[in-house]
Amino acid sequence: MRAAIGIGVRVVTVNASTETELRAAFGRAVDQHADAMLVHVDALFNDSGETQIVTLAAEYRLPTMTANTTFPGRGGLVSYGANSLDLNRQAGVYVARILRGEKPADLPVMQPTSFALRVNLKTAKALGLTIPELFLLLADEVIE
């Protein structure tokens, strides 16, 4: 929050605890003149919830970003988050260690080591946005 204020960005927080509350949350964000939305990763926002977020972002014409890397593939604008393939590999390493007899409680907490930036240019165009070339060059995947 402080970083946003430091660069002159006003942060508006809206909450949704269920899929039915998502529409109201988008409405509140627009009512408060939000220019974009960052959706925090939560189990609610997987699969059907994520699809609903894509639909609402398009309907409200609100550029939206999540950490869930499947988001742009479903029509969302941008995602930046832990690489799911790397997370699955790390989980496999843990399973192997447990199967070899290590106690789960003795295993260290692992953090993601690989992140992916994905951008959907078709969605950007639909929103009337131009994504800077440098941003696209930094992206791990650009969906056209």
Side-chain angles (χ1 to χ4, degrees):
M1 186 81 85
R2 286 185 197 158
I5 292 168
I7 61 171
V9 173
R10 184 176 63 92
V11 176
V12 174
T13 302
V14 294
N15 295 306
S17 299
T18 66
E19 286 185 29
T20 56
E21 293 177 1
L22 284 173
R23 178 173 293 284
F26 268 84
R28 286 191 307 275
V30 169
D31 288 346
Q32 294 183 50
H33 307 288
D35 293 320
M37 183 175 282
L38 172 64
V39 177
H40 290 280
V41 175
D42 186 294
L44 167 65
F45 303 127
N46 289 333
D47 298 324
S48 63
E50 186 174 75
T51 301
Q52 186 178 5
I53 291 168
V54 169
T55 301
L56 291 168
E59 181 181 324
Y60 283 93
R61 301 196 46 77
L62 194 59
T64 304
M65 176 180 174
T66 75
N68 190 344
T69 57
T70 61
F71 186 63
R74 293 181 181 194
L77 180 61
V78 177
S79 70
Y80 181 71
N83 183 317
S84 57
L85 293 175
D86 189 50
L87 291 177
N88 290 336
R89 182 194 58 77
Q90 287 181 0
V93 169
Y94 259 44
V95 168
R97 289 174 71 175
I98 292 167
L99 290 174
R100 289 187 189 114
E102 291 187 56
K103 295 179 184 175
D106 294 338
L107 295 174
V109 174
M110 300 282 292
Q111 295 292 326
T113 58
S114 176
F115 295 84
L117 173 64
R118 298 180 73 210
V119 182
N120 187 319
L121 285 181
K122 182 178 176 184
T123 300
K125 183 178 180 181
L127 292 170
L129 299 174
T130 301
I131 306 295
E133 188 67 28
L134 179 59
F135 191 81
L136 295 174
L137 291 171
L138 293 171
D140 296 285
E141 182 180 2
V142 177
I143 299 167
E144 298 189 53

